[in-house]
Amino acid sequence: DAMVIQNPRYQVTQFGKPVTLSCSQTLNHNVMYWYQQKSSQAPKLLFHYYDKDFNNEADTPDNFQSRRPNTSFCFLDIRSPGLGDAAMYLCATSSFHQGMSTDTQYFGPGTRLTVL
Amino acid sequence: SQQGEEDPQALSIQEGENATMNCSYKTSINNLQWYRQNSGRGLVHLILIRSNEREKHSGRLRVTLDTSKKSSSLLITASRAADTASYFCATDRGDYKLSFGAGTTVTVRA
């Protein structure tokens, strides 16, 4: 089945120790998103890729970066995690082309990040 | 930024009862979507209603949209224990980005 896969499902890191979360998709969608979701809150968009074009949200901290080496894979790098970065990180995809799009987003199961 | 506000924040109902939750938003939209999130999992798309539609059905789900009031409602009929989850509305302004509300947590008691 076509899907969005996130690894690992649970990640524990130490304060200040860089961490990378990964996302892959078999949907061949051209747009990939990274969201941060804290407990009982709405998912907050960090950034997204439209094809190879990177788009950062204005309030995303510089501590967060992303890479998309090809259509299928996208990575979230947290350079120096703080206690406030502990959250669920959700990857999503969609297909968007002018005049024709899926409109909906397809989410992975998320990676729960704990910062000690 | 978060555009949607959901009401109520939490809802507890008996199995078989209906559950209704509401979403209000601030700016004009292309469409409004509802997603479900089971505890500790990703979001699953439930239903999409476009700005020129007023009501839509999918199985036990009924969504309404009132663009004059900038509000939407999601009704789940004949609820089941498996409907226990958080439900989020998300607005699409046509720029392929979604803005999510804070969600309604629904608990269905057996």
Side-chain angles (χ1 to χ4, degrees), chain B residues 14-33:
Chain B
Q14 201 74 30
E15 203 166 24
E17 293 180 339
N18 296 342
T20 300
M21 58 210 86
N22 304 295
C23 170
S24 60
Y25 58 91
K26 297 172 186 172
T27 63
S28 62
I29 60 172
N30 192 43
N31 65 67
L32 185 142
Q33 304 176 30

Side-chain angles (χ1 to χ4, degrees), chain B residues 62-101:
Chain B
R62 172 177 168 256
V63 169
T64 63
L65 179 65
D66 187 335
T67 52
S68 66
K69 295 181 179 177
K70 292 187 170 56
S71 68
S72 173
S73 69
L74 171 66
L75 167 68
I76 305 172
T77 60
S79 63
R80 306 167 181 169
D83 295 328
T84 294
S86 292
Y87 292 82
F88 294 88
C89 69
T91 52
D92 179 351
R93 291 174 289 183
D95 59 356
Y96 60 86
K97 295 194 293 185
L98 295 178
S99 181
F100 286 87

Side-chain angles (χ1 to χ4, degrees), chain A residues 3 16-17 23 31 39 69-71 75 94-95 109-110 113:
Chain A
M3 58 174 57
K17 186 174 181 181
C23 176
V31 189
S39 183
N70 53 54
T71 301
F75 300 96
S94 72
S95 178
L113 178 67

Side-chain angles (χ1 to χ4, degrees), chain A residues 4-9 22-24 34 89-92 107-111:
Chain A
V4 181
I5 302 162
Q6 290 189 245
N7 286 303
R9 292 293 315 282
S22 73
C23 176
S24 64
W34 279 104
Y89 289 88
L90 297 165
C91 174
F107 283 80
T111 295

Side-chain angles (χ1 to χ4, degrees), chain A residues 34-49:
Chain A
W34 279 104
Y35 290 88
Q36 179 192 64
Q37 186 182 27
K38 296 188 176 180
S39 183
S40 302
Q41 294 185 20
K44 177 181 179 296
L45 182 64
L46 295 173
F47 26 61
H48 71 276
Y49 277 91

